[in-house]
Structures are given as C-alpha cells and as structure tokens.
Amino acid sequence: MTLEAHLTAPVTIDECTLCQGFWFDKYEDLQLAAASTLKLIKLIGEHSSEGKAAISDALRCPRCTGRLMLTHDLQRNTRFSYWRCEQHGRFIGFFDFLREKNFIRTLSPQEVAQLRENVQTVNCSNCGAAIDLTTSSSCAHCGSPVSILDMKRPQEMLNELQRAAEPKPIDPALPVELEQAKRNIEHLFGPIPLGDDLVSGASSTGLVKAGLSAVAKWLSKSGI
C-alpha cells in the first residue's frame, strides 16, 4: 500500500491480510499521516474477522533474510509486541499495531463487571480464544486482557484532518455517525437494551473487532 506521510514523499508499506500484519521499513510507521493511519484501521476492520494464518516462531527479514527478534514494548500503559530487524524494519500484527497507536485500551475492573451483566463469554481479540467472563478478565491462552477499541481515537484523527484542511471535504454528518458507533459499543457496559447483533458480534468476534467493524463502515462513508 502507498500511503501519505508527514513531511516526506509517500511511503509504501507491505500488508498481509492472511497473517494479519504489516511490514514497515525502518521509521515508516512514524511517518504516517493521520489519513494513512485511518486507512490502515479501515483495512484491519475489513479483514480482522477472517481466519488468521499461524505465524512462524522464526520470522525472517524480507530485506536481508536475517532472523527477526521478538520485541516487547510499552505505549503508555498498553503492552504490545513486534518482530524487528535492527537494520531494515519490523513486522507487527494488526492487534499490536492498534495497541501501539493507542486505539485499544484494557477494560477497568468496573467495566468488566458491567460487561459481565450483558455477556458471559467474549472471544479474545488477540488470538480468538474464548474468555469466560464469569471466571476471568484475561485470555487463558495468550494472556491478553479483555480490551476494547478506544472510539475517541478515530474522532481525534478526524479532527486532525479537518484542521489540516484536506482537499477532499469531509461530510459534516460523519462525527454524528461516529458518535453513534461509539455509543453502540458503550451500550455493552450500561443498562440500555442491546441489539442482538451487537451482543452477538461482541461475543463471537471480541470487543475490539466489534468496534472495528463499526469504525470500518464509518470510514468507508468518509471516502478513506
């Protein structure tokens, strides 16, 4: 994919929807413009519900074929992982890309308790395994805590695009539609009655993927 960048020529990144990950040459991910990040969010939302191929324990750099080093990092209070080549770049999965860009946050104990009142089981957004909310708030298979898509981040990026006066005008109704998508996800935690489709989506695909689906539809309307 060729994407717009900050203060540089467009960058071309590599993506694989089968293994659900991106390869960024060195510093490419830091150069992405807001519109480009939203395009990647849309891509993730459109493909995250598909089957994910198993990833090898011995990933190789596509530039030098050297073995990539598994690296654990921290963005604010959110942990994420990627595989890196010191010289050429890194491979990062869709879920960890969202974590790094602050699109995912871990639920608080209070939110988990509220969620438990509406659904008993959700799928882990990282590995797909079932999480029994009656006994745990994290995935027994991969250890990922129950997380949700932070719906404020797409709105912040929309505001950034508006401030930048993008040549393509943005539909003024989009902020309202995004707010509705945000409320649909937040309804999972409150006393407001839920639609069967939202509960089913959160239970079968995970909270993050349920939110991604809503945001991907919204971004499609924006022309991104």
Side-chain angles (χ1 to χ4, degrees), residues 68-141:
L68 298 180
M69 180 183 299
L70 178 60
T71 305
H72 302 286
D73 211 332
L74 186 69
Q75 174 70 347
R76 296 184 181 177
N77 295 322
T78 302
R79 299 182 182 278
F80 64 98
S81 302
Y82 54 90
W83 290 260
R84 63 185 170 91
C85 170
E86 290 285 358
Q87 298 298 319
H88 299 108
R90 61 180 183 147
F91 172 84
I92 187 168
F94 285 174
F95 191 71
D96 283 297
F97 175 80
L98 293 172
R99 283 171 163 169
E100 181 187 19
K101 297 299 182 183
N102 292 321
F103 276 87
I104 291 178
R105 65 176 179 83
T106 302
L107 296 187
S108 68
Q110 293 80 9
E111 288 174 320
V112 172
Q114 289 177 315
L115 177 63
R116 191 177 290 125
E117 294 178 3
N118 288 307
V119 293
Q120 283 69 53
T121 304
V122 296
N123 278 18
C124 174
S125 297
N126 185 44
C127 70
I131 302 175
D132 184 354
L133 294 176
T134 62
T135 59
S136 179
S137 60
S138 61
C139 177
H141 182 69

Side-chain angles (χ1 to χ4, degrees), residues 1 14 35-36 63 104 115 134 142 189-190 198 201 203 217:
M1 296 179 65
D14 303 286
S36 298
R63 309 302 182 216
I104 291 178
L115 177 63
T134 62
C142 70
F189 306 103
L198 184 60
S203 299
K217 292 177 182 177

Side-chain angles (χ1 to χ4, degrees), residues 24-197:
F24 294 104
D25 285 337
K26 208 164 188 179
Y27 306 126
E28 279 183 340
D29 58 320
L30 301 178
Q31 299 169 3
L32 295 177
S36 298
T37 300
L38 288 176
K39 285 182 179 178
L40 296 185
I41 300 303
K42 179 172 176 283
L43 174 76
I44 294 172
E46 292 173 340
H47 295 280
S48 60
S49 62
E50 301 174 359
K52 180 180 177 181
I55 296 178
S56 170
D57 293 331
L59 295 179
R60 298 284 176 176
C61 173
R63 309 302 182 216
C64 68
T65 71
R67 184 165 179 169
L68 298 180
M69 180 183 299
L70 178 60
T71 305
H72 302 286
D73 211 332
L74 186 69
Q75 174 70 347
R76 296 184 181 177
N77 295 322
T78 302
R79 299 182 182 278
F80 64 98
S81 302
Y82 54 90
W83 290 260
R84 63 185 170 91
C85 170
E86 290 285 358
Q87 298 298 319
H88 299 108
R90 61 180 183 147
F91 172 84
I92 187 168
F94 285 174
F95 191 71
D96 283 297
F97 175 80
L98 293 172
R99 283 171 163 169
E100 181 187 19
K101 297 299 182 183
N102 292 321
F103 276 87
I104 291 178
R105 65 176 179 83
T106 302
L107 296 187
S108 68
Q110 293 80 9
E111 288 174 320
V112 172
Q114 289 177 315
L115 177 63
R116 191 177 290 125
E117 294 178 3
N118 288 307
V119 293
Q120 283 69 53
T121 304
V122 296
N123 278 18
C124 174
S125 297
N126 185 44
C127 70
I131 302 175
D132 184 354
L133 294 176
T134 62
T135 59
S136 179
S137 60
S138 61
C139 177
H141 182 69
C142 70
S144 296
V146 177
S147 302
I148 193 170
L149 190 72
D150 189 342
M151 302 296 280
K152 295 179 183 178
R153 292 287 291 130
Q155 182 63 63
E156 291 171 356
M157 288 196 160
L158 173 64
N159 294 339
E160 184 177 334
L161 290 179
Q162 291 173 324
R163 289 192 298 268
E166 289 285 307
K168 177 185 284 189
I170 296 176
D171 185 347
L174 287 174
V176 177
E177 294 178 6
L178 179 60
E179 180 63 24
Q180 182 60 51
K182 176 183 176 183
R183 289 183 181 182
N184 287 342
I185 299 302
E186 290 176 342
H187 285 179
L188 284 167
F189 306 103
I192 302 174
L194 294 169
D196 291 340
D197 56 340

